[in-house]
Amino acid sequence: MNNTEKIFKQAAALISQIFNIREDEIRPEMSLYDDPEINPLDVARLIMACEKKFDIMIHDEDVHTFVRVDDCVRYIAEALFEGQQSISVSSDEEREAWYYE
């Protein structure tokens, strides 16, 4: 699994939680705005969750570029690549369990 796939998997988990969509229904080409159930506040929550999850800063002027899921994934991948950070497939709970063992 490459870094982009790992980022997509983790972003899909966040989208699933925030937008209340089943994770297996999330596709890279899925729009973040076409669904009437998704409101701009949900997208703002997604941006903040991505910043926290991936330990990156998403600049306000870049938020408008997040139209589809793959836009979000691409931005995160580029931000991580610039910072030379690696992506872990493990969840927060798995990392915490490992740390406390």
Side-chain angles (χ1 to χ4, degrees):
M1 183 180 297
N2 67 37
N3 274 348
T4 303
E5 290 168 339
K6 292 174 187 176
I7 293 168
F8 174 78
K9 182 177 173 138
Q10 292 183 352
L14 292 174
I15 292 167
S16 175
Q17 292 171 351
I18 294 168
F19 296 167
N20 200 24
I21 300 171
R22 285 191 9 224
E23 202 170 322
D24 62 348
E25 294 177 354
I26 299 168
R27 301 282 179 258
E29 63 278 356
M30 183 182 117
S31 172
L32 297 174
Y33 295 97
D34 286 344
D35 188 334
E37 298 291 318
I38 299 173
N39 66 53
L41 183 57
D42 290 332
V43 176
R45 290 177 54 216
L46 173 63
I47 300 299
M48 291 186 296
C50 287
E51 287 180 323
K52 182 178 178 183
K53 178 73 175 180
F54 296 102
D55 194 24
I56 62 171
M57 172 62 98
I58 299 173
H59 302 284
D60 292 342
E61 62 269 11
D62 295 331
V63 171
H64 74 279
T65 66
F66 289 39
V67 177
R68 300 175 356 160
V69 172
D70 58 352
D71 297 328
C72 182
V73 170
R74 188 177 320 107
Y75 187 95
I76 294 167
E78 289 173 4
L80 292 173
F81 179 72
E82 288 174 8
Q84 297 297 312
Q85 300 175 17
S86 62
I87 301 296
S88 171
V89 181
S90 60
S91 68
D92 291 337
E93 294 81 17
E94 290 171 325
R95 286 192 296 280
E96 287 175 10
W98 171 82
Y99 179 79
Y100 290 111
E101 286 181 347

